[in-house]
Amino acid sequence: MTPRAADRTRYDRATAHLDAPVAIVDLEAFDANARDLVRRAAGKPIRVASKSVRCRALLERVLGQDGFAGIMSFTLAESLWLARSGFEDVLLAYPSADRTGYAELAADPKLAAAVTVMVDDVAQLELIDRARDGGAEEIRVCLELDTSLRMLGGKVRIGALRSPLREPAQLAELARSVARRPGFRLVGLMAYEGHVAGVGDSIAGRPLRSRAVRLMQSAARKELAARRAAVVRAVRAVVPDLEFVNGGGTGSVQHTAAEDAVTEIAAGSGLYVPRLFDNYTSFTGRPAALFAQPVVRRPGVGIVTVLGGGYPASGAAGPDRLPVPYLPEGLRYDPQEGPGEVQTPLLGSPADDLRLGDKVWFRHAKAGELCERFDALQLVEGDKVTATVPTYRGEGHTFL
């Protein structure tokens, strides 16, 4: 029996009392992935990206392990909810225009002490001030650096369109604006190199593209390390007591941790290890989060149909954004239908061994987005479900 077949046996046995659709997290794999992230971070703390987990119980679990400290959140409403739930260090990774949320933040000393907001423009500080509604608490601020690789005099850009702040002088000037403005305190810098951390460099069946990605990433790491160090020096000249410099992501942990200027690493997807994180030469994780759909009919030889399963991930549309049939091994989509909203035909010889009601296990393309489809996660240890915990959705929250 292959390791994957053994996993299927465990998962089927653990969830035999549960009807599909059902989502699980294999805690042994989850904890092993957490330990590997810590190993790669080489002593620098890891701030957990909550958008890649979206389950309070699992955020608490990983933050209880050595090597993890703090949360990187994705909306202001989520940040405030987490802070009210007892999380004491929440960095909002994206600027917000949530005026109601800013009024709550500015009025509550506990929230103001726990939450740090992201800015890359003086206009965002002005928006926060207009939203205060009499709240006088000091707002903790982080600046974001653009990490994209620019070539041919800026005509070619590789990397996400995020912050407009690129050069040391630009960040130092905004740091001075924060320092001069009453009611704000600059505490951190963030730089997310998504073109390194979120792009696999070993693409199955595409050796030339894989080599091109590795060459690009090598150049990007070198350029960014020098520029990030210069930015940190420039900002520390304005704010010597800067608390943190955050960088990286699951795919770049060990590279970003090697930079002296960086004090902490961000990671989250590496806990669940969705399918987009299979294509890396620098690490191999264990799939920890899966979902199962039930077989509901058998249209013919070598074909079964499962209920639903069409859960595409965000990003530029393409086959890599689709879930992948995982267990039993050997199933594939019908190219004319793909994964559907209410039904998904699956082709392959393993289909002939599946009966009505059997579970087919899938892996999502991205990590936390799976939790937007399920109210609960079944936590599996060995061949048993040892706990059922709510996702954000299960607690009544869909922040985006």
Side-chain angles (χ1 to χ4, degrees):
M1 183 182 292
T2 67
R4 276 174 62 173
D7 283 342
R8 181 193 174 201
T9 298
R10 287 195 302 115
Y11 300 151
D12 283 348
R13 187 176 297 152
T15 61
H17 62 296
L18 298 170
D19 288 333
V22 64
I24 66 167
V25 170
D26 184 331
L27 290 181
E28 180 182 338
F30 181 89
D31 290 344
N33 292 334
R35 291 191 296 270
D36 190 60
L37 288 170
V38 170
R39 176 190 63 80
R40 291 198 287 137
K44 291 189 177 178
I46 298 171
R47 185 180 291 274
V48 183
S50 63
K51 79 178 183 67
S52 299
V53 179
R54 303 194 202 198
C55 171
R56 278 201 302 165
L58 290 174
L59 288 172
E60 291 167 353
R61 183 183 183 91
V62 71
L63 286 170
Q65 301 184 31
D66 291 340
F68 292 87
I71 288 177
M72 178 176 282
S73 57
F74 59 97
T75 74
L76 182 54
E78 179 213 13
S79 305
L80 301 178
W81 177 65
L82 290 173
R84 290 192 181 99
S85 300
F87 295 95
E88 297 179 348
D89 180 6
V90 182
L91 169 63
L92 175 57
Y94 306 88
S96 175
D98 181 354
R99 291 173 294 181
T100 299
Y102 281 132
E104 294 175 15
L105 181 65
D108 189 317
K110 177 183 175 182
L111 296 179
V115 175
T116 301
V117 303
M118 191 66 60
V119 301
D120 56 32
D121 191 318
V122 171
Q124 292 157 356
L125 300 175
E126 295 169 352
L127 185 152
I128 295 170
D129 267 339
R130 292 195 301 271
R132 283 178 180 271
D133 194 28
E137 294 298 324
E138 187 175 63
I139 305 298
R140 292 167 53 86
V141 168
C142 178
L143 306 184
E144 182 171 4
L145 165 68
D146 168 42
T147 66
S148 62
L149 177 64
R150 305 287 177 91
M151 298 182 294
L152 300 178
K155 294 179 181 178
V156 175
R157 176 193 59 82
I158 301 174
L161 285 167
R162 292 177 63 111
S163 172
L165 305 175
R166 182 169 180 82
E167 301 302 329
Q170 293 175 297
L171 285 108
E173 178 57 34
L174 186 52
R176 284 188 285 270
S177 295
V178 176
R180 290 193 297 260
R181 198 176 191 99
F184 294 90
R185 179 157 62 97
L186 180 59
V187 298
L189 284 172
M190 187 193 88
Y192 172 57
E193 51 267 48
H195 51 301
V196 178
V199 178
D201 63 351
S202 180
I203 306 162
R206 305 190 68 179
L208 294 180
R209 180 173 175 81
S210 297
R211 177 168 172 75
V213 169
R214 287 194 289 273
L215 290 172
M216 176 276 291
Q217 291 181 339
S218 177
R221 289 195 300 266
K222 183 177 180 180
E223 186 276 335
L224 178 59
R227 185 159 52 89
R228 180 156 38 198
V231 165
V232 171
R233 288 193 297 271
V235 173
R236 286 196 185 279
V238 179
V239 183
D241 59 345
L242 203 66
E243 294 178 13
F244 64 86
V245 177
N246 181 281
T250 288
S252 70
V253 170
Q254 67 273 28
H255 302 296
T256 309
E259 295 183 33
D260 291 338
V262 175
T263 67
E264 64 175 40
I265 311 299
S269 295
L271 296 168
Y272 287 169
V273 186
R275 64 168 295 200
L276 283 178
F277 286 84
D278 287 346
N279 303 318
Y280 287 80
T281 57
S282 59
F283 76 100
T284 301
R286 293 174 55 183
L290 301 96
F291 68 94
Q293 303 295 115
V295 173
V296 292
R297 56 183 167 192
R298 299 168 53 85
V301 175
I303 309 171
V304 292
T305 302
V306 299
L307 178 70
Y311 305 155
S314 60
D320 65 336
R321 299 291 143 166
L322 300 178
V324 60
Y326 185 60
L327 301 170
E329 298 179 68
L331 293 172
R332 64 187 186 278
Y333 293 126
D334 178 347
Q336 296 186 55
E337 292 197 43
E341 178 186 11
V342 291
Q343 74 157 34
T344 297
L346 296 170
L347 313 181
S349 58
D352 293 330
D353 296 323
L354 292 169
R355 300 168 298 176
L356 296 183
D358 283 353
K359 295 181 176 76
V360 174
W361 295 91
F362 294 78
R363 293 173 65 200
H364 203 274
K366 297 183 75 173
E369 292 182 20
L370 169 64
C371 294
E372 298 297 335
R373 301 288 184 167
F374 290 89
D375 292 341
L377 298 172
Q378 309 298 324
L379 305 186
V380 173
E381 296 184 76
D383 61 357
K384 293 181 173 59
V385 170
T386 56
T388 300
V389 295
T391 60
Y392 280 12
R393 169 177 160 164
E395 294 201 68
H397 296 287
T398 50
F399 292 108
L400 274 180

